[in-house]
Amino acid sequence: MSYEKMNKQIIAAVGGEDNIQSVVHCATRLRFVLKDESKADDAAAARIPGVLQVVKKAGQYQLVIGSTVEDVYNDLVKMINIENDDNYKSTPKEKKNIFDTVISVITGSIAPAIPLLAGAGMGKVLLLILTISGLLSDKSQTYQILNLIFDTGYFFMPAFIGFSAAKVFNTDQYLGAFMGLVTEHPIWTAMVAAKKPVEFLGMPVQLIKYSSTLITAIISVWIMSYIYKYVKKYTPNMVKIFMVPMLTMLITAPLIFLVIGPISNMISEGIGFISMWLFHNAGIVAIPILAAAYPWLVSIGIHKALSPISIQLVATQGLDPIIRVVALCSNMSQAAASLAVSMKSKNKELKSLALSSSATAYLGGITEPALFGVNLPLKKPMYGAMIGGAIAGVVASFMKIKAFIYVTPAFLSLPMWVSKTENFVIQAIIVIIVASVATFIATWVIGFDDPVDEKSEKNKQKEKFEQTHEKHDLKSPVKGTVEPLSEVNDETFASGVMGKGIAIVPSEGKIYAPDDGVVTATFDTGHAIGLHLDNDADVLIHIGIDTVQMNGDGFKQLVKKGDHVKAGQELVDFDIDKIKKAGYDPTVMMIVLNSKDFLEVLPVVNKKDEKKDVTTSSNVIVLA
């Protein structure tokens, strides 16, 4: 499926291609960094079919798309060219607070790599299942190769993060990847394994294992971006091609081993220590609170700030007992709230949307369709989800459930709760059941304001009009092809500001009275005529668009102001060919000027009838 039309609207809504500094995607969102966010049209973006929500947070302009976001993104990047950011350098940057800046850097650096990490993690789980079931021996060469393949995703994580971070910091992406890879060189890993003292220029180097880490990569590339900029600025052009990367490597890489790495490692260890302390000592409080708050973090787009904690825990501790557990409780609660809405609502469209959104959340853990399409717009289901998520969090904390890979929690990712020594799949299913039952009951009891089914309501109103009000039919004033008034090439008529009505592309140059009445207005140019009909409708019949400029040439008026006319009586002759030769559109518009005086003014035209031919005996407007 092509998303070209949708992406054209997206590009226009974010202020045009020139306003895009960078764009990445996560599991459900397009995440733009715009040069000038004030140029974006939030309302236009929100109206684009396929866009569930517009979120502006952490320096990013986020469009929530849902499960098709990768396909949308792939088509989008083919349509834009944002590789050359030279023009951006002279563009003033919007000032952000520290929190927004940090969140923006984290999400921009990590989000592009998350699908790869999730895929590699699920691959590791697949291997585990194959070995536990006896289908594959962990001593076989097949196992070793498959293990090597999936281990690559996490072992070289610093390189993937470095590459993404370089884009965020507007520097060379290959040097960004290089700074991640330098800590994974076989010589360095051998030094770490040997545990013998290492020095560089007489200074001791801490032996730290950097594989599966991300904080070191992000900070390294951030510092490298400044070094690269200044080296590039002062290096002569004739030697830039090799001197700039060489000097950047020569300065940055030693700093990583001597300063950046040890400091980053302290931060990583601190995060791990605090997370595990919370799990062992305050999980009964922390997990339910986070589970209740998690949907709101998702709604403003900063839930990805928790991803580094989860990834770091899985990489260093071999498990995540908090963040993925919270995500499981929240995801299943969002799914259950949407399911409750689908069961309780009487709106057919909402029922269908809520049911499909619930299924997406339950199976794949993609909650944005349920969150932005159902629960958040209705508001009250969010409270049900918060209650259910908190209750499930209490249960999960009691059972000490743990995740062993970083992936979105859902039914299809249940293997994420299995390791070689522990299995929490049953506990995860219990949490899903608790979250679902508690949320469903809470949402059902709290209720929500069920939106009116517009189609059903319209039919009811139509039946009521037919039963209680006299109807009047207006005949077509001219032979031709009927079309909606909204499609004529004149904003005044198309907008309906003059009143409701109908348009006919004429096939014959004769205007007839649509009903009995009196001529109330004539014009020297003959291009229009006003009528007050016996049913109290004030009608304007306008021949052509901008034909007043023809000064009556091609028009012959057959009645005068004050004349009484009968339905079907000829009022004006006009020359269609002469109008076209003069460069004007001959479309005839019939407007009910006092539309507000009627309960309903119903043009007899819809999508099926847009090209329907009419005669002067055809009903084209119904007054009620």
Side-chain angles (χ1 to χ4, degrees):
M1 178 178 178
S2 174
Y3 294 93
E4 182 178 357
K5 182 179 179 181
M6 178 182 178
N7 280 322
K8 284 181 179 179
Q9 293 175 298
I10 288 174
I11 293 169
V14 300
E17 179 180 338
D18 293 340
N19 195 39
I20 302 172
Q21 180 193 345
S22 65
V23 58
V24 296
H25 76 87
C26 57
T28 55
R29 308 180 186 206
L30 290 176
R31 295 172 176 266
F32 291 90
V33 175
L34 303 180
K35 297 175 183 177
D36 184 355
E37 201 168 280
S38 65
K39 292 182 179 179
D41 188 337
D42 300 349
R47 287 195 301 268
I48 297 172
V51 173
L52 299 175
Q53 184 86 354
V54 176
V55 180
K56 296 188 290 184
K57 193 65 182 176
Q60 292 185 336
Y61 194 87
Q62 305 170 22
L63 300 184
V64 182
I65 305 296
S67 57
T68 60
V69 66
E70 184 174 3
D71 295 329
V72 175
Y73 173 82
N74 289 337
D75 279 3
L76 175 65
V77 294
K78 294 175 184 177
M79 298 170 62
I80 59 177
N81 178 21
I82 56 173
E83 294 300 320
N84 185 357
D85 285 323
D86 291 340
N87 293 331
Y88 175 66
K89 294 174 184 177
S90 61
T91 305
K93 294 184 180 180
E94 180 184 354
K95 291 185 178 180
K96 308 174 196 171
N97 60 49
I98 294 177
F99 178 79
D100 282 352
T101 300
V102 171
I103 298 299
S104 177
V105 168
I106 290 173
T107 55
S109 301
I110 297 175
I114 283 178
L116 184 148
L117 298 178
M122 287 300 289
K124 295 282 286 183
V125 170
L126 174 63
L127 275 181
L128 179 61
I129 293 172
L130 290 174
T131 54
I132 291 175
S133 63
L135 296 174
L136 183 67
S137 170
D138 59 3
K139 306 297 182 183
S140 69
Q141 292 182 340
T142 299
Y143 174 89
Q144 298 299 326
I145 292 176
L146 289 175
N147 190 51
L148 177 152
I149 291 171
F150 295 125
D151 258 349
T152 299
Y154 279 87
F155 188 86
F156 292 104
M157 189 197 304
F160 307 135
I161 299 301
F163 188 79
S164 298
K167 189 171 185 178
V168 173
F169 294 121
N170 195 27
T171 191
D172 189 286
Q173 287 189 270
Y174 294 97
L175 279 173
F178 175 89
M179 295 308 160
L181 287 171
V182 75
T183 61
E184 301 308 311
H185 195 285
I187 293 178
W188 174 253
T189 55
M191 288 179 176
V192 173
K195 297 181 179 179
K196 294 181 180 180
V198 175
E199 292 184 350
F200 178 76
L201 298 178
M203 294 177 284
V205 179
Q206 291 189 34
L207 297 172
I208 298 171
K209 182 181 177 182
Y210 292 107
S211 60
S212 305
T213 60
L214 49 84
I215 295 176
T216 301
I218 293 175
I219 297 177
S220 297
V221 175
W222 172 48
I223 293 173
M224 185 208 81
S225 67
Y226 290 99
I227 294 172
Y228 177 81
K229 181 172 67 174
Y230 285 106
V231 167
K232 187 176 183 180
K233 181 177 180 181
Y234 294 109
T235 301
N237 288 333
M238 67 180 68
V239 293
K240 268 185 178 177
I241 191 169
F242 65 86
M243 189 65 72
V244 171
M246 186 195 76
L247 290 176
T248 303
M249 296 173 189
L250 188 61
I251 298 170
T252 309
L255 281 176
I256 293 174
F257 290 113
L258 292 170
V259 182
I260 302 171
I263 292 175
S264 301
N265 187 58
M266 290 175 58
I267 296 173
S268 298
E269 289 181 347
I271 290 172
F273 174 80
I274 293 171
S275 299
M276 296 307 294
W277 185 90
L278 285 173
F279 171 66
H280 291 296
N281 299 282
I284 190 67
V285 175
I287 291 175
I289 290 175
L290 280 172
Y294 198 80
W296 299 103
L297 299 181
V298 175
S299 71
I300 58 177
I302 64 171
H303 61 298
K304 290 298 181 185
L306 299 176
S307 295
I309 300 175
S310 183
I311 294 170
Q312 199 68 34
L313 285 171
V314 170
T316 59
Q317 307 289 331
L319 55 92
D320 174 5
I322 294 184
I323 307 303
R324 293 299 84 195
V325 176
V326 166
L328 174 68
C329 298
S330 177
N331 289 355
M332 298 304 98
S333 296
Q334 286 293 314
S338 188
L339 179 62
V341 170
S342 72
M343 299 290 286
K344 191 170 187 177
S345 176
K346 295 180 180 179
N347 184 302
K348 292 181 180 179
E349 290 185 5
L350 179 59
K351 285 176 76 72
S352 176
L353 172 64
L355 185 60
S356 62
S357 299
S358 175
T360 300
Y362 269 127
L363 294 175
I366 304 300
T367 61
E368 270 82 352
L371 176 66
F372 292 111
V374 181
N375 300 335
L376 195 57
L378 294 176
K379 296 183 178 65
K380 291 182 180 179
M382 287 289 283
Y383 305 141
M386 291 175 68
I387 293 170
I391 293 173
V394 172
V395 174
S397 62
F398 271 120
M399 292 190 297
K400 299 292 184 180
I401 184 173
K402 304 167 190 174
F404 299 98
I405 63 170
Y406 179 87
V407 70
T408 303
F411 269 108
L412 294 180
S413 56
L414 280 174
M416 68 185 289
W417 308 101
V418 180
S419 75
K420 290 184 178 179
T421 57
E422 295 181 279
N423 187 332
F424 290 96
V425 170
I426 299 300
Q427 290 89 332
I429 293 174
I430 291 172
V431 170
I432 292 173
I433 293 172
V434 171
S436 299
V437 173
T439 301
F440 190 95
I441 293 173
T443 304
W444 194 278
V445 172
I446 294 172
F448 52 90
D449 297 326
D450 197 14
V452 176
D453 190 321
E454 293 182 1
K455 292 183 179 179
S456 298
E457 185 64 22
K458 196 169 184 179
N459 289 335
K460 289 179 183 178
Q461 290 180 355
K462 184 177 179 181
E463 290 175 4
K464 185 177 179 180
F465 289 144
E466 290 176 349
Q467 293 171 2
T468 61
H469 296 86
E470 183 181 358
K471 294 192 301 180
H472 300 279
D473 297 327
L474 300 188
K475 307 295 184 183
S476 175
V478 66
K479 294 179 181 179
T481 305
V482 70
E483 67 176 27
L485 186 64
S486 60
E487 294 187 4
V488 301
N489 190 26
D490 185 286
E491 184 62 27
T492 301
F493 290 113
S495 65
V497 67
M498 294 183 66
K500 296 182 179 180
I502 199 77
I504 304 103
V505 179
S507 59
E508 181 183 71
K510 295 180 183 294
I511 297 295
Y512 300 90
D515 204 348
D516 297 347
V518 177
V519 178
T520 55
T522 57
F523 301 85
D524 293 339
T525 54
H527 75 291
I529 189 167
L531 303 170
H532 177 78
L533 304 180
D534 290 352
N535 55 35
D536 287 331
D538 291 321
V539 171
L540 172 68
I541 301 173
H542 195 284
I543 307 166
I545 297 173
D546 292 332
T547 47
V548 65
Q549 299 184 43
M550 294 179 68
N551 295 316
D553 186 22
F555 298 89
K556 182 180 180 182
Q557 202 155 263
L558 306 178
V559 293
K560 61 182 182 300
K561 185 176 179 179
D563 285 354
H564 288 268
V565 295
K566 293 290 184 180
Q569 181 178 334
E570 189 176 353
L571 306 177
V572 181
D573 283 343
F574 63 100
D575 191 326
I576 298 174
D577 291 335
K578 186 170 285 190
I579 292 173
K580 289 181 178 179
K581 286 180 181 178
Y584 298 107
D585 184 339
T587 300
V588 175
M589 284 76 68
M590 182 167 69
I591 314 296
V592 179
L593 300 174
N594 59 337
S595 294
K596 294 181 181 179
D597 293 344
F598 295 88
L599 292 173
E600 278 291 339
V601 177
L602 300 173
V604 184
V605 59
N606 53 46
K607 287 187 177 180
K608 292 182 179 178
D609 297 331
E610 281 180 3
K611 297 183 179 181
K612 179 181 177 181
D613 292 335
V614 294
T615 67
T616 53
S617 62
S618 303
N619 295 333
V620 292
I621 292 180
V622 177
L623 303 175

